[in-house]
Coordinates of all heavy atoms in Angstrom, one line a residue:
Chain B
K305 N -17.5 6.1 -37.8 CA -16.4 5.9 -38.8 C -16.7 4.7 -39.8 O -16.5 4.7 -40.9 CB -15.1 5.6 -38.0 CG -14.4 6.9 -37.5 CD -13.2 6.5 -36.6 CE -11.9 6.9 -37.1 NZ -10.9 6.6 -36.1
V306 N -17.3 3.7 -39.1 CA -17.5 2.5 -39.9 C -18.7 2.6 -41.0 O -18.8 2.3 -41.9 CB -17.7 1.2 -39.1 CG1 -18.1 0.0 -39.9 CG2 -16.3 1.0 -38.3
R307 N -19.7 3.3 -40.3 CA -20.9 3.4 -41.0 C -21.4 4.9 -41.3 O -22.4 5.3 -40.7 CB -22.2 2.6 -40.4 CG -21.7 1.1 -40.3 CD -22.9 0.3 -39.7 NE -24.2 0.7 -40.4 CZ -25.3 1.0 -39.8 NH1 -25.3 1.1 -38.6 NH2 -26.4 1.0 -40.5
P308 N -20.6 5.7 -41.9 CA -20.9 7.1 -42.1 C -22.1 7.3 -42.9 O -22.7 8.4 -42.6 CB -19.6 7.6 -43.0 CG -19.2 6.4 -43.6 CD -19.5 5.3 -42.8
E309 N -22.7 6.3 -43.5 CA -23.9 6.6 -44.2 C -25.1 6.9 -43.3 O -26.0 7.5 -43.7 CB -24.3 5.3 -45.1 CG -24.6 4.1 -44.3 CD -23.3 3.2 -44.1 OE1 -22.2 3.8 -44.3 OE2 -23.5 2.0 -43.8
V310 N -25.0 6.5 -41.9 CA -26.1 7.0 -41.1 C -26.1 8.5 -40.9 O -27.1 9.0 -40.4 CB -25.9 6.3 -39.6 CG1 -25.9 4.9 -39.7 CG2 -24.7 7.0 -38.9
L311 N -25.0 9.2 -41.4 CA -25.0 10.6 -41.2 C -25.5 11.4 -42.6 O -25.5 12.7 -42.4 CB -23.6 11.0 -40.9 CG -22.9 10.4 -39.7 CD1 -21.5 11.0 -39.4 CD2 -23.8 10.8 -38.3
G312 N -25.8 10.7 -43.5 CA -26.1 11.5 -44.7 C -26.9 10.8 -45.6 O -27.3 9.6 -45.5
T313 N -27.2 11.3 -46.8 CA -27.9 10.8 -47.9 C -26.8 10.1 -48.8 O -25.7 10.4 -48.9 CB -28.7 11.7 -48.6 OG1 -27.7 12.8 -49.3 CG2 -29.6 12.5 -47.8
P314 N -27.4 9.1 -49.6 CA -26.4 8.5 -50.6 C -25.8 9.4 -51.6 O -24.7 9.2 -52.0 CB -27.4 7.6 -51.4 CG -28.5 7.4 -50.5 CD -28.6 8.6 -49.6
R315 N -26.5 10.6 -51.9 CA -25.8 11.5 -52.8 C -24.6 12.2 -52.3 O -23.8 12.7 -53.0 CB -26.9 12.5 -53.2 CG -27.6 12.0 -54.5 CD -28.6 13.1 -55.0 NE -27.7 14.1 -55.7 CZ -28.1 15.2 -56.0 NH1 -29.2 15.7 -55.5 NH2 -27.3 16.2 -56.6
E316 N -24.7 12.5 -51.0 CA -23.6 13.1 -50.3 C -22.9 12.3 -49.3 O -23.0 12.6 -48.0 CB -24.0 14.5 -49.9 CG -25.3 14.6 -49.4 CD -25.8 15.8 -48.6 OE1 -25.2 16.8 -49.0 OE2 -26.4 15.6 -47.6
L317 N -22.5 11.1 -49.5 CA -21.9 10.2 -48.6 C -20.8 10.8 -47.8 O -19.8 11.1 -48.4 CB -21.6 8.9 -49.2 CG -21.2 7.9 -48.3 CD1 -22.3 7.3 -47.5 CD2 -20.5 6.6 -49.1
P318 N -21.0 11.0 -46.5 CA -20.0 11.7 -45.7 C -18.9 10.6 -45.4 O -19.0 9.3 -45.5 CB -20.8 12.1 -44.5 CG -22.1 11.6 -44.5 CD -22.2 10.6 -45.7
S319 N -17.7 11.1 -45.0 CA -16.7 10.2 -44.5 C -16.2 11.0 -43.2 O -16.3 12.1 -43.0 CB -15.5 10.2 -45.4 OG -14.8 11.5 -45.5
V320 N -15.9 10.1 -42.3 CA -15.6 10.6 -40.9 C -14.1 10.2 -40.6 O -13.7 9.1 -40.8 CB -16.6 9.8 -39.8 CG1 -16.1 10.3 -38.5 CG2 -18.0 10.2 -40.1
T321 N -13.5 11.3 -40.3 CA -12.0 11.0 -39.7 C -11.8 11.5 -38.3 O -12.4 12.6 -38.0 CB -11.0 11.7 -40.6 OG1 -11.3 13.0 -40.7 CG2 -10.8 11.1 -42.0
S322 N -11.2 10.7 -37.6 CA -11.0 11.2 -36.1 C -9.9 10.3 -35.5 O -9.9 9.1 -35.7 CB -12.3 11.1 -35.3 OG -12.1 11.6 -34.0
S323 N -9.0 10.9 -34.6 CA -8.2 10.2 -33.8 C -8.7 10.1 -32.3 O -8.0 9.6 -31.5 CB -6.8 10.8 -33.8 OG -6.3 10.7 -35.2
L324 N -9.9 10.8 -32.3 CA -10.4 10.9 -30.8 C -10.5 9.5 -30.3 O -10.3 9.4 -29.0 CB -11.7 11.7 -30.8 CG -12.4 11.9 -29.5 CD1 -11.4 12.6 -28.6 CD2 -13.7 12.6 -29.6
D325 N -10.9 8.6 -31.0 CA -11.1 7.3 -30.4 C -9.9 6.7 -29.9 O -9.9 6.1 -28.8 CB -12.0 6.3 -31.4 CG -11.3 6.2 -32.8 OD1 -10.5 7.1 -33.1 OD2 -11.7 5.5 -33.6
S326 N -8.7 6.9 -30.6 CA -7.5 6.3 -30.1 C -7.0 7.1 -29.1 O -6.5 6.5 -28.1 CB -6.5 6.1 -31.4 OG -6.4 7.3 -32.0
V327 N -7.2 8.4 -29.0 CA -6.8 9.3 -27.8 C -7.6 8.7 -26.6 O -7.0 8.5 -25.5 CB -7.1 10.7 -28.1 CG1 -7.0 11.5 -26.8 CG2 -6.3 11.3 -29.2
L328 N -8.9 8.5 -26.8 CA -9.7 8.0 -25.7 C -9.3 6.4 -25.3 O -9.2 6.3 -24.1 CB -11.2 7.9 -26.1 CG -11.8 9.4 -26.2 CD1 -13.2 9.2 -26.6 CD2 -11.9 10.1 -24.9
V329 N -9.0 5.7 -26.2 CA -8.5 4.3 -25.8 C -7.2 4.5 -25.0 O -7.1 3.8 -24.0 CB -8.3 3.4 -27.2 CG1 -7.6 2.2 -26.8 CG2 -9.7 3.1 -27.7
A330 N -6.3 5.2 -25.6 CA -5.1 5.4 -24.8 C -5.3 5.8 -23.3 O -4.8 5.5 -22.3 CB -4.0 6.2 -25.6
A331 N -6.1 7.0 -23.2 CA -6.4 7.6 -21.9 C -7.2 6.5 -21.1 O -6.8 6.4 -19.9 CB -7.3 8.9 -22.2
G332 N -8.0 5.9 -21.6 CA -8.8 4.8 -20.9 C -7.7 3.7 -20.4 O -8.1 3.3 -19.2
S333 N -6.9 3.3 -21.1 CA -6.0 2.3 -20.7 C -5.2 2.8 -19.4 O -5.1 2.1 -18.4 CB -4.8 1.9 -21.7 OG -5.5 1.6 -22.9
R334 N -4.6 4.1 -19.6 CA -4.0 4.6 -18.4 C -4.9 4.8 -17.2 O -4.5 4.3 -16.1 CB -3.5 6.1 -18.9 CG -2.4 5.9 -19.9 CD -1.7 7.2 -20.0 NE -1.3 7.8 -18.6 CZ -0.2 8.5 -18.4 NH1 0.4 9.0 -19.5 NH2 0.1 9.0 -17.2
I335 N -6.1 5.2 -17.5 CA -7.1 5.3 -16.3 C -7.4 4.0 -15.7 O -7.4 3.8 -14.4 CB -8.3 6.2 -16.9 CG1 -8.0 7.6 -17.3 CG2 -9.5 6.0 -15.8 CD1 -9.0 8.2 -17.9
R336 N -7.5 3.1 -16.5 CA -8.0 1.7 -16.0 C -6.8 1.2 -15.3 O -6.9 0.5 -14.2 CB -8.2 0.8 -17.1 CG -9.6 0.1 -16.9 CD -10.0 -0.6 -18.2 NE -10.9 0.1 -19.0 CZ -11.0 0.0 -20.2 NH1 -10.4 -0.9 -20.9 NH2 -11.8 0.8 -21.0
A337 N -5.5 1.4 -15.8 CA -4.4 0.9 -15.1 C -4.4 1.5 -13.7 O -4.1 0.9 -12.6 CB -3.1 1.2 -15.9
G338 N -4.5 2.9 -13.7 CA -4.6 3.7 -12.5 C -5.6 3.1 -11.4 O -5.3 2.9 -10.4
Q339 N -6.8 2.9 -12.0 CA -7.9 2.3 -11.1 C -7.5 0.9 -10.6 O -7.9 0.7 -9.5 CB -9.2 2.3 -11.8 CG -9.8 3.6 -12.1 CD -10.9 3.6 -13.2 OE1 -11.0 2.7 -14.1 NE2 -11.9 4.6 -13.1
A340 N -6.9 0.1 -11.5 CA -6.6 -1.2 -11.1 C -5.4 -1.2 -10.0 O -5.5 -1.8 -9.0 CB -6.1 -2.1 -12.3
Q341 N -4.4 -0.3 -10.3 CA -3.4 -0.1 -9.2 C -4.1 0.4 -7.9 O -3.6 -0.3 -6.9 CB -2.4 0.9 -9.8 CG -1.6 0.4 -10.9 CD -1.1 1.7 -11.7 OE1 -1.2 2.7 -11.4 NE2 -0.2 1.2 -12.8
A342 N -5.0 1.2 -8.0 CA -5.7 1.7 -6.8 C -6.4 0.5 -6.2 O -6.5 0.3 -4.8 CB -6.7 2.7 -7.0
A343 N -7.1 -0.3 -6.9 CA -7.9 -1.5 -6.4 C -6.9 -2.5 -5.7 O -7.2 -3.0 -4.7 CB -8.6 -2.0 -7.5
V344 N -5.8 -2.6 -6.2 CA -4.8 -3.6 -5.7 C -4.4 -3.1 -4.3 O -4.4 -3.9 -3.3 CB -3.7 -3.7 -6.7 CG1 -2.5 -4.2 -5.9 CG2 -3.8 -4.5 -7.8
L345 N -4.2 -1.9 -4.2 CA -3.8 -1.3 -3.0 C -4.8 -1.3 -1.9 O -4.7 -1.7 -0.8 CB -3.2 0.2 -3.1 CG -2.0 0.3 -4.0 CD1 -1.8 1.8 -4.2 CD2 -0.9 -0.2 -3.3
L346 N -6.2 -1.0 -2.3 CA -7.3 -1.1 -1.4 C -7.5 -2.5 -1.0 O -7.9 -2.7 0.2 CB -8.5 -0.5 -2.3 CG -8.6 0.9 -2.2 CD1 -9.7 1.3 -2.8 CD2 -8.6 1.5 -0.8

Side-chain angles (χ1 to χ4, degrees):
Chain B
K305 274 168 116 176
V306 175
R307 300 184 53 233
E309 62 270 21
V310 299
L311 302 178
T313 61
R315 276 191 69 202
E316 32 164 39
L317 184 64
S319 67
V320 178
T321 53
S322 179
S323 297
L324 178 58
D325 48 350
S326 48
V327 169
L328 288 176
V329 166
S333 308
R334 294 192 51 152
I335 289 168
R336 227 171 270 156
Q339 284 167 338
Q341 287 153 1
V344 161
L345 295 170
L346 279 181

